[in-house]
């Protein structure tokens, strides 16, 4: 009896339905459902186990205290940024999704890291490029690395998971990198590569493989600018770790961000610079992200933020001009638009600044996207500076959140922020008065006792304005 199982999938978010529907109940897209065959008539629908016949491993109940609590032995790459983003190296048996826009450099980064894992057997599976293309790219990346580094690097240009698993069984790699998950197809499902059901099933096969053999697997997946193409998105809950590789194609800097990590902290960040010979890790990002000029311009403020576990000083640029059209414009790059509107409302109400007739532009230098609320204060000061057309004082940076009533609120890990500002040669940092560095109760004591940088504490936006201008 032939029995083919079919289902409808939203091509936007991956929502599954037994019948066709016009509007997706999950993401509200219209006309996004496509029918896909999810299971052909086969005895056993299991890609990895079909080639992996041994079934000796049976699960029994065990006493918790009998389980050896072994510290996970992580695989360290030569790339410090990557190790940190992964929470301290690659966990054996983990499955890691690497999402990013096409052409941003995901392949370069992972090819480069694979090539440099000299003591591990790495299998790089590409469905995107030919062997010749990858060889050319590898030669370019390895200009500065001696050749023995690559002796354990294997390449497979294949898209069928059936053939891939046959090869994996022969080779027994230590690490598998798949570029990309959208090009794979499993013979057990009848829809085309890149469709929702194919992506889901191929990822599931690699997940079983990773868990059974304790081999880490990297799945590279493409997403669009809106970050909403169905493919990789639906995998987020299946995998252990989700890394996002982002950045503007026109800038040299790229950011590798942790969105989910079962084995470490999320919101971790690695910064790379794209060069001719691959991705170069940027170990001291604050230095490149701020341009300290002697004659300071108006509208520029430096924020002391924390990304992941790392303090980061960034430059905020604001431009406030007379609006020429009826509706004033608010344009942001790297900052939340609603947050800007809120700050403008606070300034309007508490300080009497009439931004209602002004166009306002906010830009975070270097193409970064910052979500840390502590940059509020720097954004606010950049706005005021541009509004007044007066530069802010030299060598001064800011760390504080701004509340609706115009109060400057405390932010976490203030000591780290102050220390980073001090390290980079700032002379003054302005923080919330509710944010006295740990353990110090008197304002006078902070700067002299602990830091060589002057720490100025402020309670209200008005007070700050009087202080700065
Ligand atoms: Zn949907």
């Amino acid at each position: 009896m032939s029995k083919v199982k079919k289902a409808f999938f939203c091509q936007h978010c991956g929502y599954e339905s037994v019948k066709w529907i016009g509007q997706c109940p999950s993401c509200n897209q219209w006309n996004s459902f496509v029918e896909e065959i999810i299971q052909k008539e086969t005895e056993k629908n299991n890609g990895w186990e079909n080639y992996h016949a041994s079934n000796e491993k049976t699960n029994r109940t065990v006493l918790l205290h009998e389980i050896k609590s072994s510290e996970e032995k992580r695989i360290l790459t030569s790339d410090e940024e990557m190790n940190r983003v992964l929470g301290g190296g690659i966990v054996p048996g983990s499955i890691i999704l690497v999402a990013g826009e096409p052409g941003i450099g995901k392949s370069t980064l992972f090819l480069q890291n694979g090539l440099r894992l000299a003591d591990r057997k790495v299998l790089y599976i590409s469905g995107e490029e030919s062997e010749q293309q990858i060889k050319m790219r590898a030669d370019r990346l390895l200009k500065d690395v001696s050749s023995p580094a690559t002796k354990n690097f294997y390449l497979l240009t294949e898209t069928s998971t059936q053939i891939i698993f046959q090869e994996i069984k022969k080779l027994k790699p230590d690490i598998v990198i798949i570029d990309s998950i959208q090009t794979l197809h499993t013979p057990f499902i009848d829809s085309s590569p890149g469709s929702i059901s194919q992506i889901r099933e191929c990822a599931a096969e690699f997940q079983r493989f990773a868990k059974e053999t304790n081999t880490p697997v990297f799945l590279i997946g493409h997403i669009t600018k809106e970050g909403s193409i169905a493919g990789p998105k639906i995998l987020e809950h299946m995998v252990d770790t989700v890394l996002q590789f982002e950045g503007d194609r026109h800038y040299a800097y790229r950011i590798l961000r942790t969105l989910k990590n079962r084995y470490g902290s999320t919101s971790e960040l690695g910064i790379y610079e794209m060069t001719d010979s691959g991705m170069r890790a940027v170990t001291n990002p604050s230095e490149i992200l701020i341009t300290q000029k002697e004659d300071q311009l108006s509208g520029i403020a430096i924020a002391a933020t924390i990304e992941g576990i790392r303090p980061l000083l960034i430059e905020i640029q604001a431009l406030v001009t007379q609006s020429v059209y009826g509706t004033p414009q608010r344009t942001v790059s790297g900052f939340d638009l609603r947050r800007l509107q809120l700050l403008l409302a606070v300034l309007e109400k508490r300080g009497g600044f009439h931004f209602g007739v002004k166009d306002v532009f906010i830009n975070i230098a270097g193409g970064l996207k910052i979500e840390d609320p502590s940059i509020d204060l720097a954004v606010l000061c950049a706005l005021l500076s541009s509004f007044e057309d007066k530069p802010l004082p030299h060598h001064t940076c800011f760390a504080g959140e701004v509340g609706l009533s115009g109060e400057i609120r405390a932010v976490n890990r203030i000591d780290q922020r102050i220390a980073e500002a001090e390290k980079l040669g700032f002379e003054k940092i302005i923080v919330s008065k509710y944010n006295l560095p740990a353990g110090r109760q008197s304002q006078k004591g902070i700067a002299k006792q602990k830091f060589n940088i002057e720490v100025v504490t402020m309670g209200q936006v008005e007070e700050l304005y009087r202080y700065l201008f």
Side-chain angles (χ1 to χ4, degrees):
M1 262 306 279
S2 154
K3 189 128 172 77
V4 180
K5 255 174 128 181
K6 289 180 182 175
F8 292 87
F9 289 93
C10 169
Q11 298 297 306
H12 204 75
C13 70
Y15 185 87
E16 185 179 339
S17 166
V18 285
K19 61 182 197 322
W20 188 87
I21 26 186
Q23 188 186 20
C24 174
S26 169
C27 69
N28 296 328
Q29 278 283 319
W30 286 95
N31 229 348
S32 62
F33 280 84
V34 170
E35 185 175 33
E36 291 181 10
I37 296 161
I38 50 173
Q39 196 177 335
K40 274 212 291 190
E41 186 203 3
T42 42
E43 278 150 36
K44 204 174 172 215
N45 170 37
N46 195 329
W48 163 244
E49 276 143 29
N50 276 4
Y51 319 112
H52 177 70
S54 68
N55 232 346
E56 67 252 13
K57 193 190 168 210
T58 48
N59 287 330
R60 290 173 294 109
T61 48
V62 285
L63 275 165
L64 184 65
H65 73 258
E66 283 176 358
I67 302 170
K68 277 197 213 116
S69 55
S70 59
E71 183 68 3
E72 286 277 8
K73 195 101 178 87
R74 293 182 183 236
I75 301 168
L76 289 177
T77 69
S78 61
D79 180 348
E80 286 298 324
E81 300 288 293
M82 177 79 76
N83 291 341
R84 199 188 47 249
V85 166
L86 289 170
I90 307 167
V91 175
S94 64
I95 183 153
I96 299 141
L97 173 69
V98 184
E101 287 170 43
I104 200 99
K106 301 183 293 296
S107 306
T108 306
L109 181 65
F110 282 87
L111 183 61
Q112 166 183 325
N113 274 311
L115 288 167
R116 289 176 189 170
L117 275 166
D119 51 343
R120 305 279 174 171
K121 205 189 271 181
V122 179
L123 176 62
Y124 188 93
I125 299 159
S126 179
E128 305 252 330
E129 291 174 304
S130 72
E131 286 165 14
Q132 280 308 317
Q133 280 172 309
I134 296 169
K135 172 75 175 141
M136 272 162 61
R137 191 201 291 248
D139 286 343
R140 211 166 57 231
L141 294 175
L142 285 170
K143 263 190 283 187
D144 55 336
V145 179
S146 54
S147 50
T150 64
K151 71 177 191 296
N152 275 325
F153 188 85
Y154 294 83
L155 186 62
L156 175 64
T157 48
E158 180 54 57
T159 56
S160 160
T161 58
Q162 194 165 21
I163 297 166
I164 289 171
F165 283 124
Q166 280 166 8
E167 291 298 313
I168 283 180
K169 235 191 136 182
K170 274 190 266 170
L171 185 68
K172 295 192 173 58
D174 295 321
I175 292 172
V176 176
I177 301 168
I178 293 158
D179 185 14
S180 67
I181 182 74
Q182 271 112 332
T183 59
L184 294 188
H185 67 91
T186 171
F188 299 100
I189 284 189
D190 205 17
S191 53
S192 57
S195 63
I196 305 277
S197 46
Q198 276 290 356
I199 289 175
R200 185 146 52 190
E201 186 52 33
C202 291
E205 287 179 9
F206 277 98
Q207 190 185 34
R208 286 191 288 268
F209 159 73
K211 299 297 164 211
E212 277 172 37
T213 60
N214 221 19
T215 312
V217 177
F218 287 89
L219 301 175
I220 295 175
H222 302 305
I223 54 169
T224 55
K225 194 118 196 147
E226 304 82 51
S228 63
I229 210 166
K233 211 84 187 155
I234 55 163
L235 299 179
E236 281 181 6
H237 66 276
M238 285 173 67
V239 299
D240 299 311
T241 303
V242 180
L243 303 181
Q244 186 156 310
F245 201 46
E246 58 187 44
D248 198 308
R249 245 192 266 188
H250 308 291
Y251 286 99
Y253 299 109
R254 299 284 184 272
I255 294 154
L256 188 65
R257 206 188 274 277
T258 324
L259 298 184
K260 167 187 176 180
N261 196 354
R262 267 185 201 148
Y263 310 107
S265 103
T266 54
S267 75
E268 205 46 87
L269 193 86
I271 301 184
Y272 294 90
E273 185 185 3
M274 193 140 166
T275 66
D276 290 344
S277 54
M279 296 287 172
R280 192 181 65 83
V282 176
T283 41
N284 194 354
S286 295
E287 273 175 6
I288 56 151
L289 292 172
I290 46 179
T291 46
Q292 284 271 15
K293 290 179 210 82
E294 276 316 305
D295 45 337
Q296 187 101 335
L297 303 166
S298 71
I300 289 175
I302 311 293
T305 75
I306 299 252
E307 279 290 330
I309 56 166
R310 191 160 62 167
L312 197 66
L313 290 194
I314 51 159
E315 184 178 307
I316 316 280
Q317 302 164 341
L319 181 64
V320 178
T321 58
Q322 199 63 38
S323 185
V324 270
Y325 304 106
T327 322
Q329 295 182 67
R330 274 91 182 85
T331 310
V332 287
S333 161
F335 188 65
D336 185 20
L337 182 62
R338 275 170 301 181
R339 197 83 206 152
L340 170 66
Q341 282 161 342
L342 189 146
L343 291 177
L344 291 175
V346 168
L347 284 172
E348 189 107 34
K349 173 92 180 167
R350 305 287 158 192
F353 297 98
H354 298 296
F355 282 97
V357 291
K358 305 276 188 185
D359 288 341
V360 178
F361 306 89
I362 288 286
N363 180 37
I364 291 180
L368 287 182
K369 264 191 218 101
I370 304 289
E371 279 160 14
D372 184 357
S374 76
I375 68 170
D376 279 4
L377 197 57
V379 172
L380 189 122
C381 291
L383 287 169
L384 286 173
S385 165
S386 182
F387 187 91
E388 298 287 350
D389 200 20
K390 284 184 192 150
L392 292 166
H394 265 288
H395 307 296
T396 301
C397 62
F398 304 87
E401 195 182 335
V402 176
L404 288 182
S405 58
E407 82 276 20
I408 298 168
R409 305 177 59 176
V411 291
N412 62 356
R413 291 147 77 190
I414 192 73
D415 285 359
Q416 253 180 294
R417 300 174 198 260
I418 298 175
E420 177 78 1
E422 185 185 350
K423 204 172 84 189
L424 287 166
F426 281 84
E427 286 157 11
K428 201 181 276 181
I429 181 165
I430 294 173
V431 301
S432 163
K433 74 171 182 189
Y434 308 105
N435 220 172
L436 296 183
R440 320 241 177 230
Q441 289 308 311
S442 88
Q443 285 192 32
K444 288 171 198 151
I446 314 164
K448 283 172 199 129
Q449 287 179 22
K450 205 166 176 189
F451 302 104
N452 292 319
I453 178 173
E454 187 186 346
V455 182
V456 181
T457 56
M458 291 283 162
Q460 278 288 326
V461 170
E462 294 100 314
E463 188 188 345
L464 176 67
Y465 179 79
R466 283 196 302 273
Y467 177 81
L468 289 174
F469 301 101

